[in-house]
Amino acid sequence: MKVHNLRWRDIMHHAKLNWVRLPIDTIENCRELGGYLTETGHPTKWHSFLRSSEMNKITNDDIDFLKEYGVKTVIDLRRKEEIEKSKNPLSEMNDFDYHNISFHAGNVGDITRYAATKENFTMGDFYVDLLKQHHIVKELFHTIYFAKEGAIVFHCRVGKDRTGVLAMLLLGLAGVSKKDIVSNYEVSFTNLESLHPAVDKFDHLPSDYFLSRRENILQAYHYVIDKYGTFENY
């Protein structure tokens, strides 16, 4: 009991801090959208939005950390078949409001499915296709708007592509600069160390599918700005 109390006090202390990448070893790419300078001169709010890779290996201690960090809502962007293979444990806990909103382009939520059918199809093209799914984007923001007070964590499988597009929209709406939006996206591949061997292993797929190159998120960014003028108009 004494050891447990010490561990719990440590969790309580660390969960009150602001983290760029959360200290959760079982999730490779779980990080904050807080702390970015906006056009108003104020930073985006900490403990409000977290972007993440899948959470199927999360431990009870990690779950306790997320609770203390303030997480109340989980938005899972994966397809049903992905969830069947790798369920998010938070989906079955009363402490969290769990929503599965499959963020896909047409019938395709996985970019690798394009490899055999669409030559030279880039991640940037995939992101633009996602942005064209207005009914899904509307459902996402409806869910965010009506979420209970507390932090929202949203994730797909690796937390790079579908998650990256939603993160871009949130940061863009908050008035974060293009430079910081791109920077937020680019760090994904650095965090995803388990994905690094795949770049050479799956030589039948373009390396672009695994990396987080700036030109891909810039293609999505410019689609919004060039077509709609602002993120608000989009």
Side-chain angles (χ1 to χ4, degrees):
M1 179 64 71
K2 185 177 180 180
V3 173
H4 173 78
N5 286 339
L6 286 172
R7 178 190 60 76
W8 181 247
R9 284 201 296 272
D10 187 59
I11 289 173
M12 290 278 287
H13 169 71
H14 284 83
K16 301 303 181 185
L17 302 176
N18 298 330
W19 298 89
V20 175
R21 182 171 63 84
L22 271 65
I24 300 178
D25 292 336
T26 56
I27 309 177
E28 282 191 298
N29 192 23
C30 184
R31 45 201 170 90
E32 266 276 3
L33 294 190
Y36 285 97
L37 184 65
T38 68
E39 57 192 11
T40 66
H42 300 288
T44 53
K45 185 179 178 182
W46 294 93
H47 296 253
S48 185
F49 288 102
L50 302 175
R51 56 174 296 171
S52 181
S53 48
E54 64 183 352
M55 311 169 83
N56 60 307
K57 296 180 181 178
I58 196 168
T59 65
N60 288 332
D61 283 352
D62 297 334
I63 293 172
D64 288 340
F65 182 91
L66 288 178
K67 289 179 187 177
E68 291 304 315
Y69 202 80
V71 173
K72 298 292 185 183
T73 302
V74 180
I75 300 177
D76 191 335
L77 304 174
R78 297 175 299 164
R79 306 184 313 278
K80 297 294 184 185
E81 55 264 37
E82 292 178 281
I83 294 172
E84 289 172 0
K85 295 178 182 177
S86 177
K87 182 177 290 186
N88 184 336
L90 305 187
S91 66
E92 300 178 333
M93 302 187 68
N94 293 329
D95 300 277
F96 306 96
D97 285 345
Y98 173 85
H99 305 269
N100 174 218
I101 304 173
S102 179
F103 200 9
H104 59 267
N107 293 319
V108 180
D110 182 352
I111 182 64
T112 60
R113 295 190 180 189
Y114 276 112
T117 59
K118 293 193 176 184
E119 188 176 357
N120 299 322
F121 191 85
T122 69
M123 292 305 304
D125 295 327
F126 179 56
Y127 299 164
V128 170
D129 275 2
L130 289 176
L131 289 168
K132 292 178 179 178
Q133 309 306 309
H134 295 279
H135 62 295
I136 301 176
V137 175
K138 180 179 180 180
E139 184 178 359
L140 287 169
F141 277 89
H142 182 273
T143 301
I144 289 169
Y145 184 81
F146 287 102
K148 65 174 61 172
E149 186 163 350
I152 297 172
V153 58
F154 56 96
H155 74 96
C156 53
R157 190 172 68 83
V158 299
K160 177 174 75 74
D161 304 313
R162 291 164 285 185
T163 296
V165 171
L166 180 53
M168 179 196 75
L169 291 175
L170 288 166
L171 293 173
L173 283 169
V176 173
S177 71
K178 178 172 69 173
K179 180 177 181 178
D180 283 334
I181 289 174
V182 172
S183 175
N184 176 268
Y185 168 79
E186 284 185 299
V187 76
S188 283
F189 183 72
T190 300
N191 289 341
L192 293 164
E193 293 181 337
S194 66
L195 195 62
H196 294 180
V199 176
D200 297 320
K201 181 180 179 181
F202 296 99
D203 55 5
H204 64 289
L205 294 173
S207 62
D208 197 44
Y209 287 5
F210 302 100
L211 304 177
S212 48
R213 291 192 172 113
R214 61 183 288 108
E215 55 265 28
N216 290 321
I217 200 65
L218 279 171
Q219 186 175 342
Y221 180 94
H222 287 298
Y223 169 79
V224 172
I225 299 302
D226 293 346
K227 186 173 179 62
Y228 297 94
T230 66
F231 282 90
E232 289 83 359
N233 289 343
Y234 167 80

